Amino acid sequence: MKTYYSPKHRLRQPKAELHDGQWVPSFESPERMDHILEALKARGLDEPLEPGGYGMDPVLAVHDADYIEFLASVWERWVAKGHQGDAVPNIWPARTLRDIRPQAIEAQLGYYALASDTTLTEGTWQAALAAKDVTLAATEAVLAGDSSAFALCRPPGHHASSSQFGGYCFLNNAVIAAQYARDHGKQRVAVLDVDFHHGNGTQEIFYRRNDVFTTSLHGDPEHAFPFFLGRADETGAGAGEGFNLNLPLPNGTTYRAWADALETALTAIEDFGAELLVVSLGVDTFENDPISLFKLTSDDFSDYGKRLGRLGLPTVFVMEGGYAVAEIGTNTVNVLAGFNAERG
């Protein structure tokens, strides 16, 4: 399995994030990638390849143009106003306020933000573009005939909607991959999100479509971020009715129940008739993850990698969350190695 990676992810260096009422070091750190790279090398997997550039058309196919303009210019505009430190939103168009697109950069931050957990920094836009290119390179490899590929991208993407950032996400890499596959000949594409947190952005972008099937296993949004999407009754709308499957699970879920939900998702993907699978590979379902609430062990990741391999679909793995930094490499590579073992 080829791995694609860009060191440009290091251009994003957030100073802190707001967590439990305090400013703490960001859980989404560059060191996450270092541990995965070390694990890939230790397990004898392919040396990572750097991607070429894919331009903006794949991005604008799924994200609103005004949102992309905001991301591309926010840092310079923030600094030009004399602000110190990272750009962080502090007001939103709440239910009692008009939902209008303001001109002030301070207000636009709230307009385009999902949450206050994610600051914008110098280099964020460049890192997000590199993550998009990493994902597209992996997708292109699979479209060209490889059975699978791994996009080791940072920042992650599945919380980014058509017009909002948050949850450490700016461009929705998995969605960009799925749309690129559709635009290059695949008629039916599935996105499987195994991150602890619901992929609200992925759901929103494809919610009214029947050519991309989306399914997610995640913490019950009654108790877990992003709270406002991810419930089981969200099954799609219009032409997309029946093409979104949410499988929320309670806090403390262990692998037996999680694996049962995975089999439900895999059966639905088979019934859909998917020609290509995009996996939003978050490994924050690990029992020691600091901001998640499931109880999977490192060995469990190997097993579910095998289950994904048995599906027999061309597969693009797209890196998402995972914040137990010391174990993120082992858990990520266990999924890939399990998949490889099953596919041969």
Side-chain angles (χ1 to χ4, degrees), residues 12 14-19 23 26-28 67 70-71 74 86-90 92 109-110 112-121 124 155-156 159-160 164-171 225 323:
R12 173 165 168 76
K15 294 181 175 65
E17 70 172 79
L18 189 60
H19 177 72
W23 285 102
S26 179
F27 291 104
E28 202 294 288
Y67 170 63
F70 161 79
L71 288 179
V74 57
D86 294 348
V88 59
N90 65 2
W92 287 262
L109 278 164
Y112 288 115
L114 170 69
S116 61
D117 62 339
T118 304
T119 65
L120 283 143
T121 70
T124 290
H159 293 306
Q164 283 191 303
F165 71 93
Y168 316 134
C169 303
F170 305 94
L171 300 178
F225 184 93
Y323 308 104

Side-chain angles (χ1 to χ4, degrees), residues 67 99 130 167 276 313:
Y67 170 63
D99 188 358
L276 183 143
L313 288 174

Side-chain angles (χ1 to χ4, degrees), residues 8 50-56 58 129-130 132-134 136-137 140 180:
K8 291 180 181 178
E50 284 201 48
Y54 288 83
M56 293 305 297
L129 290 177
K132 170 264 300 183
D133 288 337
V134 165
L136 288 171
E140 194 166 65
Y180 192 82

Side-chain angles (χ1 to χ4, degrees), residues 198 218-232 234 246-249 251:
H198 176 251
H218 52 267
D220 187 339
E222 192 64 35
H223 308 288
F225 184 93
F227 297 106
F228 296 99
L229 277 183
R231 287 164 174 78
E234 297 159 14
N246 285 330
L247 297 164
L249 297 165
N251 295 350

Side-chain angles (χ1 to χ4, degrees), residues 245-293:
L245 174 64
N246 285 330
L247 297 164
L249 297 165
N251 295 350
T253 291
T254 59
Y255 185 61
R256 182 173 180 178
W258 192 93
D260 287 345
L262 177 64
E263 290 299 330
T264 298
L266 296 180
T267 297
I269 290 168
E270 288 185 305
D271 291 345
F272 170 67
E275 301 169 61
L276 183 143
L277 175 65
V278 177
V279 178
S280 274
L281 183 58
V283 295
D284 49 358
T285 49
F286 180 55
E287 59 185 346
N288 294 329
D289 195 274
I291 58 173
S292 302
L293 299 165

